[in-house]
Amino acid sequence: MTAPLIFIAADARECADWVAHWSSVHDPKLAVHWSRAGNWQGRPMLALANGAGWDRAHDAVAVAVEAAGTVGAIYSVGYCGALDPSLQIGDIFLATEVRGSDDVWPAQLPQDPEGLCRTARTGPLASIFHIAQTALEKRQLRQTGAFVVEMEAAAVARASNTLNVPFYCVRVVSDLSEEDFANNLNKYLMNDGRMNIPRLIFGAFGSPVARFGELIRLSKRASVASKNLGEFLAHVVY
C-alpha cells in the first residue's frame, strides 16, 4: 500500500479547503485538536491541526506517524506572516529552508506540472516561539534573510529529518509586514496552542474600533488564504 502523506497545521481552517478536495474523508479520531483522513488521486492523506507552536506541532507529527505506520512525506502547511513588504495577502510561499532558534533544515519544493510554483515565492522561513506582533519585529526578522514567519515548521522539519522522510513547507500569507496587531494575540494564546476566543473578544472592547475591526479583517483574510492554499495544494503532484 502507498504510504500516506501527512499535513501538519496549527488550525483546522488552514487545512479545510485542501481537505475539501479529497474523497472518502473521515475523522480518524486521533489525539489532536482536529484530524481528517482521506484520499487524493488514489493516495492516502492525513491532515492534523493541533494548535500553534513547536511543541504542539511535534506532538502532531508523533500522533500522525503512529497512526500511519509508514509515511511518504510530511508537509508543514498553513498561514504565515509576511516579512518582505512585496508579499501580499493570499500569496503562496514555499520554504527552501526553515530557520529555528539554532538550526536550519532544508525543505523540498513540490512538483508542479501546471507551473504554479513559478508564481509562488520561495526562500528561507523563520519559525519562532510566538506571534510576531509588530512591524518592528518583522523588520528585524527580515534582516536575517527570512521572507515569512510562523510558529510550527521548525518542529515539523526536525521530526521529518529524524524520521528521514521528505519535508515540504507550503505557507500562505495572512498578515502583512508593515502591520502592527491592535490585539495582543500572544496574550490570548493558550497552553494548548489555541486562541482563547472569549477573552480575545472581551479584550477587544478596550479599543473596539481598532480591535474589532482587526478581528473582522483577519477573519476575511483567513478565508482568502485558506482558499488559495487549498487550490495550490490541489495542483501539486504527490
Side-chain angles (χ1 to χ4, degrees), residues 69-231:
T70 58
V71 177
I74 301 178
Y75 289 72
S76 175
V77 299
Y79 308 142
C80 65
L83 302 178
D84 188 308
S86 67
L87 286 166
Q88 300 300 311
I89 301 300
D91 284 353
I92 298 296
F93 185 83
L94 308 175
T96 55
E97 64 180 38
V98 170
R99 299 177 177 180
S101 54
D102 298 308
D103 294 292
V104 176
W105 295 271
Q108 299 188 34
L109 295 179
Q111 297 181 46
D112 170 31
E114 297 187 25
L116 290 179
C117 288
R118 290 195 294 272
T119 65
R121 296 290 295 276
T122 62
L125 172 149
S127 190
I128 64 176
F129 296 110
H130 61 275
I131 297 167
Q133 182 76 23
T134 66
L136 175 60
E137 182 178 10
K138 294 174 188 177
R139 286 194 292 271
Q140 292 170 338
L141 288 167
R142 179 69 184 100
Q143 291 173 1
T144 70
F147 284 84
V148 301
V149 61
E150 56 75 75
M151 295 176 61
E152 297 81 40
V156 182
R158 181 175 57 193
S160 301
N161 182 70
T162 300
L163 294 165
N164 195 29
V165 298
F167 167 72
Y168 300 83
C169 184
V170 182
R171 292 282 169 165
V172 61
V173 174
S174 60
D175 62 89
L176 302 174
S177 64
E178 294 301 319
E179 293 179 322
D180 295 325
F181 284 118
N183 294 277
N184 185 350
L185 299 178
N186 287 296
K187 179 180 178 180
Y188 302 110
L189 195 61
M190 299 184 292
N191 290 336
D192 69 356
R194 292 183 285 194
M195 197 65 64
N196 189 325
I197 300 301
R199 286 192 62 209
L200 175 60
I201 292 173
F202 182 79
F205 282 103
S207 182
V209 173
R211 295 180 185 176
F212 279 111
E214 178 179 79
L215 294 179
I216 293 169
R217 184 167 61 252
L218 290 176
S219 179
K220 291 179 177 178
R221 288 178 173 184
S223 295
V224 171
S226 296
K227 181 178 183 296
N228 287 4
L229 181 60
E231 287 299 320

Side-chain angles (χ1 to χ4, degrees), residues 37-90:
N39 292 282
W40 173 245
Q41 298 180 340
R43 180 146 199 179
M45 301 282 184
L46 185 59
L48 293 82
N50 198 40
W54 287 22
D55 290 343
R56 306 301 307 179
H58 177 270
D59 290 347
V61 173
V63 169
V65 170
E66 182 178 4
T70 58
V71 177
I74 301 178
Y75 289 72
S76 175
V77 299
Y79 308 142
C80 65
L83 302 178
D84 188 308
S86 67
L87 286 166
Q88 300 300 311
I89 301 300

